[in-house]
């Protein structure tokens, strides 16, 4: 069963961490990841809240209940009681403080793919045209060279065929 939007709204309201860098939720694979200051601090799966395990969180939650947010996941802490606003807020903030900032993403570069050509049709067409012009110029130069060889070949035969 996927997590409902009303459950997410309840969790965000209970935490009370609004404003810039505050608690936000992003939908992922039918469930939600909760972010605080750009860090994933919790997952909402099947209308249950799972907190990312940290030493700082363990200090506030001495005997956390472990659970698996999705099949194949590592154990996270399942928060069964969401009514205590102060504890929920403290757990989320302590977890965010204990986690490192995500690594900055590298800027994406355009690859020579159909998608890149479709994204910038003007550039692709210009490149194609310049390649075509270069091929024509090379073919013309090759034809001139071949013609020059033909003209030079008979002249050298005449020069070499003269008898004394």
């Amino acid at each position: 069963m996927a997590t409902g939007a009303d459950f997410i709204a309840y969790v965000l309201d209970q935490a009370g961490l609004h404003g810039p860098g505050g608690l936000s939720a992003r939908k992922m694979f039918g469930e939600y990841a909760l972010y605080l200051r750009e860090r994933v601090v919790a997952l909402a799966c099947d209308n249950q809240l799972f907190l990312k395990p940290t030493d700082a969180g363990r200090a506030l939650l001495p005997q956390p209940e472990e659970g698996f947010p999705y099949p194949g996941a590592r154990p996270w802490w399942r928060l069964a009681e969401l009514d205590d606003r102060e504890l929920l807020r403290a757990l989320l903030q302590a977890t965010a403080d204990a986690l490192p900032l995500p690594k900055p993403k590298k800027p994406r570069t355009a690859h020579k793919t159909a998608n890149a050509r479709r994204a910038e049709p003007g550039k692709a067409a210009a490149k194609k045209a310049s390649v075509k012009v270069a091929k024509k110029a090379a073919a013309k130069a090759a034809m001139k060279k071949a013609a020059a060889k033909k003209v030079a070949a008979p002249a050298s035969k005449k020069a070499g065929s003269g008898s004394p």
Side-chain angles (χ1 to χ4, degrees), residues 88-155:
L88 179 61
R89 185 178 303 123
L91 283 168
L92 293 170
Q93 287 176 331
T95 301
D97 291 341
L99 296 173
L101 276 172
K103 293 178 183 177
K105 293 182 179 180
K106 294 180 182 177
R108 297 182 91 188
T109 58
H111 296 288
K112 294 181 181 178
T113 64
N115 290 338
R117 284 193 298 272
R118 266 187 253 126
E120 299 182 46
K123 281 188 176 182
K127 186 175 181 180
K128 208 179 225 184
S130 67
V131 168
K132 203 172 190 180
V133 168
K135 282 183 179 179
K136 275 187 179 180
K140 245 185 196 180
M143 287 175 59
K144 280 185 181 179
K145 193 174 183 181
K149 273 187 178 179
K150 282 183 181 178
V151 170

Side-chain angles (χ1 to χ4, degrees), residues 25 37-38 57 67 69 75-76 81 83 87 110 137 141 145 147 159-161 164:
R37 295 189 304 271
E38 300 180 37
W76 287 49
E81 188 58 46
D83 292 332
L87 178 61
K145 193 174 183 181
S161 65

